Amino acid sequence: MTQQQESFKKLLSWLFCFSELFIRSNTMLLLAVFLLKVLCFVECYPNGAPTGACEDMLPRHGVPPQSSPAPYKILTNSTTFQPGKPITVTIIGPAYRGVLLEARTQGSINALGSWKLPPPDTKLLQCAGNPQGAVTHSNTNLKGNTTVYNWIPPNTLGPVYFMATVAQQRTVFWVNVRSITLTGEKMDNLGLATDAGSHMAEEKLLLVISLLVFHVLG
């Protein structure tokens, strides 16, 4: 064997070893990625959505959302709202384990208003700098139609709607579950007018009584 042939043989041997090492390293990398995904399916966010999901409302489960129409509807106790006056919100449909619920206004991805007294198996989530900006699950216990959320409108009169991501399982979830749009209305002055009218009536009654007493004594 000539020196040139021997050098060529060594080169082939080196290339073979390198390719084998490359294949093994890639196999290990793919295996590591697979194991991470499996762990994610088992352990990812069983205690609520992360704050990073506030804007896109994706649960980071490693799988895409369902493409079929959502079997859920968001119902509210009113089609209008007033600043500070609570609105009750209910997610109607099959029992679910995971949820992320926010109020939004058209053209914005920021959570609006605040949520109070989260129902059992849920908790508040800080979104858009608001510690009460959203509600999410606190465990994987089943939630149902009796789970009612309470939202407090901010000082705004712009239209508002509710948006939710609802998960039956980690790999079965729907995004963009949306309610009707609620319109804002100003605080009416009916109560103030009633109070003022009642106060005036009391004053008139006292005046009449005083005149009668004066007339009798006089």
Side-chain angles (χ1 to χ4, degrees):
M1 179 181 296
T2 65
Q3 184 176 1
Q4 186 178 7
Q5 289 175 331
E6 186 175 353
S7 298
F8 182 71
K9 183 178 179 181
K10 288 181 179 180
L11 178 61
L12 288 177
S13 177
W14 182 83
L15 288 174
F16 176 78
C17 291
F18 178 78
S19 62
E20 186 177 8
L21 179 62
F22 180 77
I23 293 173
R24 287 181 178 178
S25 63
N26 276 295
T27 301
M28 292 298 293
L29 179 61
L30 290 174
L31 180 61
V33 171
F34 175 76
L35 288 175
L36 284 174
K37 286 189 174 182
V38 170
L39 288 174
C40 185
F41 291 151
V42 176
E43 299 294 340
C44 272
Y45 311 114
N47 300 319
T51 56
C54 286
E55 294 185 357
D56 60 20
M57 302 191 73
L58 292 175
R60 276 70 172 165
H61 288 176
V63 293
Q66 298 296 302
S67 58
S68 59
Y72 299 98
K73 293 184 181 298
I74 300 178
L75 300 184
T76 62
N77 69 328
S78 176
T79 58
T80 61
F81 69 92
Q82 295 178 350
K85 185 177 180 180
I87 297 291
T88 59
V89 181
T90 309
I91 298 175
I92 301 298
Y96 54 95
R97 298 183 183 276
V99 64
L100 177 57
L101 179 62
E102 298 179 15
R104 291 187 173 183
T105 188
Q106 195 67 36
S108 175
I109 57 175
N110 290 329
L112 190 68
S114 60
W115 299 85
K116 294 189 67 176
L117 302 175
D121 303 316
T122 68
K123 64 180 183 180
L124 300 173
L125 177 68
Q126 178 169 322
C127 286
N130 182 356
Q132 299 174 309
V135 180
T136 187
H137 55 282
S138 60
N139 54 50
T140 55
N141 294 344
L142 289 174
K143 294 90 178 165
N145 298 342
T146 59
T147 303
V148 179
Y149 306 90
N150 295 283
W151 180 72
I152 307 300
N155 292 323
T156 180
L157 295 179
V160 171
Y161 62 91
F162 297 96
M163 182 79 78
T165 295
V166 187
Q168 289 182 355
Q169 304 173 20
R170 283 187 178 83
T171 57
V172 181
F173 61 91
W174 286 265
V175 298
N176 298 326
V177 180
R178 179 170 169 168
S179 73
I180 62 170
T181 299
L182 281 63
T183 55
E185 58 181 12
K186 295 181 180 180
M187 297 292 289
D188 57 56
N189 296 320
L190 180 60
L192 296 176
T194 301
D195 291 341
S198 176
H199 185 65
M200 291 179 64
E202 290 177 358
E203 289 182 346
K204 289 180 179 180
L205 179 60
L206 287 174
L207 180 60
V208 171
I209 293 175
S210 299
L211 290 174
L212 288 174
V213 170
F214 179 78
H215 179 73
V216 171
L217 295 178

